[in-house]
Every structure is written in structure tokens, then in C-alpha cells.
Amino acid sequence: ISIEKSLSRLGGVAIFLSILAYHGGVYFSQKEFFEGPSLLDSSDVSVYLSVSLVFGMIGLAEDIKQGIRPIIRMLMMITIAGIYFLLYPGHMPQTLLFPFFNDFLNSFPLLWLASTVFIVGFINAGNMVDGANGLFALIMLGLFYLAFSLTGEVSYWAIFISLCIFVVFNLTTGKIFLGDFGAYGLSALGAIVAFNLYDNFDISLWFLASLLSYPCTELVRVIVVRLSNRKSPLGSDNQHLHNFVFYFLESKGCAPHLANSLTGILISFYFSITPILLYLIGSVPLNSTLWIYLFFIQVLSVLFG
């Protein structure tokens, strides 16, 4: 959405600095005063945060320079993701449930390739939907709340609180966005955390798919449309579902800021907040296959909405 261009793109920097401040505060307070159980996270979570920061630095370079070629950014992300999963193979899914060719499709080379492709794709998808006020941050809220409730890792709670503060400020003022640093970093972290939850807890793949459906489905739709129009799939435009919702609300008399904020709220509620609410009220268990129906309804909404 065009009004983003004149505003601050350092929301992601503020979020990550608050997370670092939390870890620093806990570390020094425990080192000097605290003798009980540690409030710091497992080493795996520290690696997740470090790797997501590396991806975020690619976005920060784009925030500052505003001219890095998309293919260069893509190659950098593929390289980082590929090396990361080679060094930490336990951080990618260890198995995927296929009805056929299970042994072949769950081999390390294919799991490594699929994990690399997914994280790079999700980073681009997350960056694509940052334009509407609060949209991507609201999508990530559900994931990090779920991660904290299942793992007890307090970094996820710190991220959740930081995102809540950002969302409130972003929705009410529209003066700051995640920027490429925030979108890249949060997307990478979200993908890695989703892998961890799928691998270590009894969660349906379709629940995670429905929770993260909008960025992924919209990215696929946009790529197909661009290729059919003989345009580069790596380009950028304002032909996304959230852009169309914004234009519709604006045409009905909403001021640009209000229309932008309502766009973020409406899309995130339909695609990501709804599955979390269904989980919280106990309507559908996390491991239920019924989530596949919600996912396909969401996909059809993007394709034909």
C-alpha cells in the first residue's frame, strides 16, 4: 500500500532490540541476584533467534540501500538457509506424512531441500504482506503465543508482548512498519518455530498451514498471476488481496489510515486469529484432521476472493 513508503520501516528493529533487552536483563539479574531456575531459553531457541537475525540483516541492508536486486537477495537467503540446515539438521522437520513414497520423500536431501525452499519462500511471503497495518505482526502473534503455550520458552512470550505493543502502535498511528528487517527476521523465525512445533508436538500440519495460510497462499497466487502475464515473479506490485481490501474500504469512504488498519485486522482475523481462537476454546484439537477443511476454505478465499 503506497502510504507505507513515507513512513518509518524500523519497527522490526525495535522489536528485536526489545527481545535483546529482555535477554540481557534476565541474564544479568540472574547472574547477580537469582538462584532459582533459569528464565533463559534453551540453546535451540538462541540459535533460532541468531539465525533469524542473520536473515533480518539482509532486509536491513534493503531498508537502508533500497536497491539490492531481488535475485541477489534470493541467492543470499538460499545460501544462509542451506548452510543453516546442514549445520543444524535437527531444526528442520524430520519427517513429513506422505501417503506414498514415504522413505524416498523423507530422505535427508529432500527434507533439506524442502526446508530451504520453504523458509526462503515464507520470508518473501512475509515481506510481501507487511504493507497493511498490523497484518503480518498479527499473523505472527498467533504462532508465538502457541509456541509459548506449548514449550514454555519465555523468548516466545517476549516476542508476543513486543508484537502486541507494535501492533497497537501500528494500528492506531500507522507511523511505523516492520520494514524488510522485521519482515525477514520474523518470517525466518516463524518458519523455524513452526518446524519445531510440528516435529515435537502432536500438531496437525493443516493447523499450521491454516495459521500461516495468507502469506503462503497469496505468494503462490501472485507468482502464478505474474508468470501468466509474463512478468518477473520476483518483482513487486500492489495487486495483492490486502491491497484490494484496502481500495474497497477506501472507496466506501474510509480514510487511508483507517482503511489500512481495518485491512490488517480483517485479513489477519479471518486467516490466522480464527484458528487460534478455535484452538483456545477447544472446538478443534490441534492434532485434528478437520483443520484441512479450514485451510482449503482459506485457500479458496484467496484464489477467488
Side-chain angles (χ1 to χ4, degrees):
I1 295 173
S2 59
I3 60 176
E4 175 189 354
K5 296 180 179 179
S6 62
L7 303 174
S8 173
R9 298 167 58 86
L10 298 179
V13 174
I15 290 170
F16 272 80
L17 286 178
S18 67
I19 298 168
L20 291 176
Y22 160 79
H23 279 84
V26 169
Y27 174 79
F28 286 110
S29 64
Q30 289 192 153
K31 184 176 181 181
E32 297 182 14
F33 307 112
F34 190 75
E35 297 182 357
S38 175
L39 295 175
L40 291 171
D41 292 312
S42 66
S43 58
D44 279 349
V45 176
S46 298
V47 174
Y48 299 165
L49 290 167
S50 300
V51 171
S52 65
L53 185 62
V54 174
F55 281 107
M57 297 308 293
I58 300 175
L60 183 61
E62 176 63 14
D63 282 329
I64 295 171
K65 189 175 180 181
Q66 291 284 301
I68 302 175
R69 293 175 59 191
I71 189 63
I72 299 299
R73 297 200 305 269
M74 185 74 71
L75 290 174
M76 292 172 67
M77 287 187 282
I78 291 172
T79 301
I80 293 169
I83 293 173
Y84 167 54
F85 288 125
L86 286 176
L87 294 176
Y88 294 92
H91 291 183
M92 65 184 191
Q94 301 305 296
T95 183
L96 294 174
L97 301 178
F98 292 100
F100 48 82
F101 302 130
N102 235 336
D103 291 338
F104 172 71
L105 293 173
N106 285 319
S107 63
F108 176 82
L110 286 182
L111 287 173
W112 172 83
L113 179 62
S115 299
T116 300
V117 170
F118 179 83
I119 193 172
V120 172
F122 191 68
I123 290 172
N124 283 278
N127 188 51
M128 181 187 67
V129 304
D130 183 36
N133 287 346
L135 176 53
F136 189 61
L138 282 166
I139 292 172
M140 290 291 98
L141 272 179
L143 178 66
F144 289 116
Y145 175 82
L146 177 70
F148 173 73
S149 68
L150 293 176
T151 68
E153 300 280 10
V154 288
S155 277
Y156 298 146
W157 184 249
I159 296 168
F160 177 80
I161 295 299
S162 297
L163 285 174
C164 284
I165 295 171
F166 169 80
V167 165
V168 171
F169 189 79
N170 187 223
L171 288 175
T172 56
T173 70
K175 293 184 180 298
I176 188 169
F177 283 82
L178 287 175
D180 288 345
F181 173 83
Y184 282 34
L186 280 174
S187 300
L189 183 59
I192 298 168
V193 169
F195 288 163
N196 171 266
L197 297 180
Y198 176 73
D199 236 23
N200 293 288
F201 297 90
D202 189 17
I203 299 179
S204 168
L205 177 64
W206 299 110
F207 172 79
L208 293 172
S210 63
L211 184 65
L212 304 176
S213 61
Y214 179 65
C216 301
T217 308
E218 178 64 9
L219 178 67
V220 173
R221 185 192 70 81
V222 167
I223 289 176
V224 171
V225 170
R226 287 175 183 169
L227 289 176
S228 65
N229 293 328
R230 298 185 179 181
K231 295 182 180 179
S232 170
L234 300 180
S236 60
D237 56 38
N238 290 324
Q239 301 302 305
H240 306 297
L241 178 60
H242 54 277
N243 295 121
F244 300 144
V245 172
F246 169 79
Y247 298 142
F248 172 79
L249 293 172
E250 196 175 35
S251 71
K252 296 302 180 181
C254 288
H257 168 65
L258 178 60
N260 209 6
S261 295
L262 285 176
T263 297
I265 293 171
L266 292 172
I267 291 182
S268 62
F269 186 89
Y270 180 75
F271 287 97
S272 296
I273 298 175
T274 295
I276 286 292
L277 290 177
L278 290 173
Y279 155 65
L280 289 176
I281 64 178
S283 296
V284 187
L286 286 179
N287 61 358
S288 174
T289 57
L290 292 175
W291 293 109
I292 192 172
Y293 297 107
L294 176 60
F295 174 69
F296 279 115
I297 291 172
Q298 293 170 329
V299 170
L300 291 175
S301 299
V302 173
L303 296 180
F304 301 106

